[in-house]
Amino acid sequence: MFASPIIVAPMAGGTTTPELALAARRAGAFAFAAGGYRTAASLAEHLAPLRAAGGGFGVNLFVPRTAPLNPADAAALARYRTELAAGAERLGAELPADLPGPADPKAQDFWEEKLDLLLGDPVPLVSFTFGLAPDSVVAALHAKGTQVVASVTSVAEAVAAAGTGVDALVVQHSNAGGHSAAFLPGASQGAPGIVELVAEVRDAVGLPLVGAGGIGDAATAKAVLAAGAEAVQLGTAVLRSDESGARALHKDALADPAYTATAVTRAFTGRAARALVNDFVRRHSASAPHAYPEVHFLTGPLRAAAAACGDRESLNLWAGTAWQKAAAGPVEGIVKGFLDGL
């Protein structure tokens, strides 16, 4: 269903640009647009070049949390605000006085508006991460001719996702850079490796699978395909590409031998995400609450100030475990290198 064994991941926050998606597709990969952190109007603009180019592509959306924070997490969030104050002052950033409530469209990542857009002007494929889209949403997209994909991190999540009627699964290992797709408690622990996790899910469900997480070279990609995946998804592997919208600070950090490890942290957004270990990760990982998207909004001004002044040690440097293999240059060469090695 993806027309290629290589997929270039939808990376939110400006990393996945239309130029990246189109260049990847020209090189023979299946391309995605990243719908996360966008309004419906911004998403429509983001999609326009892909629609104009014709052919297949996907769009990824975040499934929002609808319940308010429980009292323990709310109290931890208040403590975290106090903890961040000194760092914000050092950077000249002001922490927001109020955060969007769970019913605020911004906290919902403009979910309803973006669904209306994709139902009114359908695209070939929509994928969901951070949770399961309701069965009614899956059915509505199917009625428009759109295929639907769910992101999962374990066998239990795969079985739950298959029950909603989706057409395929992205099986994400915890080696992946950026945010975990996990939506069941503890699910992101996964199997010992991406090959094993794909094999476990392959035994449990009959849907087409995409392997993701820590895939830094063609040999790993080939092993994931042999384990039962129809395709593999590249994220960190293309972060340093010319067409990537990642900050220069981020791209440079991925190539800097001063960074020697990654860690899964909630420090930047309140949701588990893998990043290069810098001062911010070391200082705040132990105390960061489980509060997404509240922490994301809380640290937003701090991260923006860090980027503006070139402070890599206070920036969210998302990276999968194979980050040291990420190459610079045109994404065409990166994609073709994987394809030639399969």
Side-chain angles (χ1 to χ4, degrees):
M1 64 183 290
F2 298 102
S4 173
I6 299 295
I7 296 170
V8 171
M11 294 174 282
T15 299
T16 292
T17 61
E19 293 77 16
L20 176 64
L22 289 171
R25 192 165 71 179
R26 287 193 297 269
F30 185 87
F32 267 93
Y37 304 137
R38 293 184 181 275
T39 64
S42 173
L43 179 57
E45 182 179 355
H46 184 55
L47 290 175
L50 286 166
R51 292 188 190 274
F57 65 91
V59 180
N60 179 254
L61 298 184
F62 295 164
V63 178
R65 191 192 86 228
T66 56
L69 287 178
N70 64 49
D73 288 334
L77 178 64
R79 292 193 296 271
Y80 196 54
R81 176 192 288 276
T82 301
E83 180 180 314
L84 293 174
E89 182 177 1
R90 177 180 61 81
L91 288 166
E94 186 173 343
L95 299 177
D98 297 301
L99 301 174
D104 189 308
K106 189 175 182 181
Q108 293 291 297
D109 201 38
F110 306 100
W111 167 257
E112 295 292 345
E113 295 90 337
K114 287 187 282 196
L115 285 178
D116 287 344
L117 169 69
L118 297 176
L119 290 170
D121 191 2
V123 296
L125 186 150
V126 173
S127 69
F128 295 102
T129 193
F130 296 176
L132 296 180
D135 298 15
S136 59
V137 170
V138 175
L141 288 166
H142 280 160
K144 298 294 184 177
T146 298
Q147 292 184 302
V148 183
V149 178
S151 298
V152 301
T153 67
S154 69
V155 171
E157 289 187 346
V159 171
T164 68
V166 298
D167 302 290
L169 303 174
V170 173
V171 180
Q172 185 202 54
H173 192 270
S174 57
N175 284 342
H179 288 100
S180 169
F183 55 87
L184 293 178
S188 61
Q189 299 305 309
I194 180 59
V195 172
E196 292 82 3
L197 180 57
V198 165
E200 288 180 2
V201 174
R202 171 77 291 142
D203 289 342
V205 300
L207 295 174
L209 305 180
V210 176
I215 300 174
D217 54 36
T220 305
K222 191 172 183 177
V224 173
L225 295 174
E230 178 178 302
V232 297
Q233 184 166 275
L234 308 181
T236 305
V238 301
L239 264 179
R240 295 182 61 214
S241 68
D242 295 346
E243 297 86 353
S244 161
R247 295 182 176 101
L249 283 173
H250 192 172
K251 292 181 179 183
D252 292 346
L254 291 168
D256 190 336
Y259 292 99
T260 59
T262 64
V264 175
T265 180
R266 292 196 299 260
F268 296 105
T269 68
R271 184 178 182 90
R274 185 174 291 279
L276 294 176
V277 175
N278 60 8
D279 287 348
F280 198 94
V281 171
R282 283 186 286 264
R283 187 176 298 122
H284 299 299
S285 290
S287 52
H290 186 270
Y292 177 90
E294 287 83 359
V295 173
H296 166 71
F297 293 121
L298 181 64
T299 66
L302 191 154
R303 289 180 279 127
C309 71
D311 182 0
R312 297 188 304 188
E313 292 304 302
S314 299
L315 203 59
N316 51 313
L317 304 172
W318 303 140
T321 55
W323 89 94
Q324 291 162 315
K325 297 179 180 180
V331 74
E332 177 183 4
I334 298 169
V335 169
K336 287 188 173 178
F338 274 86
L339 287 171
D340 290 346
L342 298 181

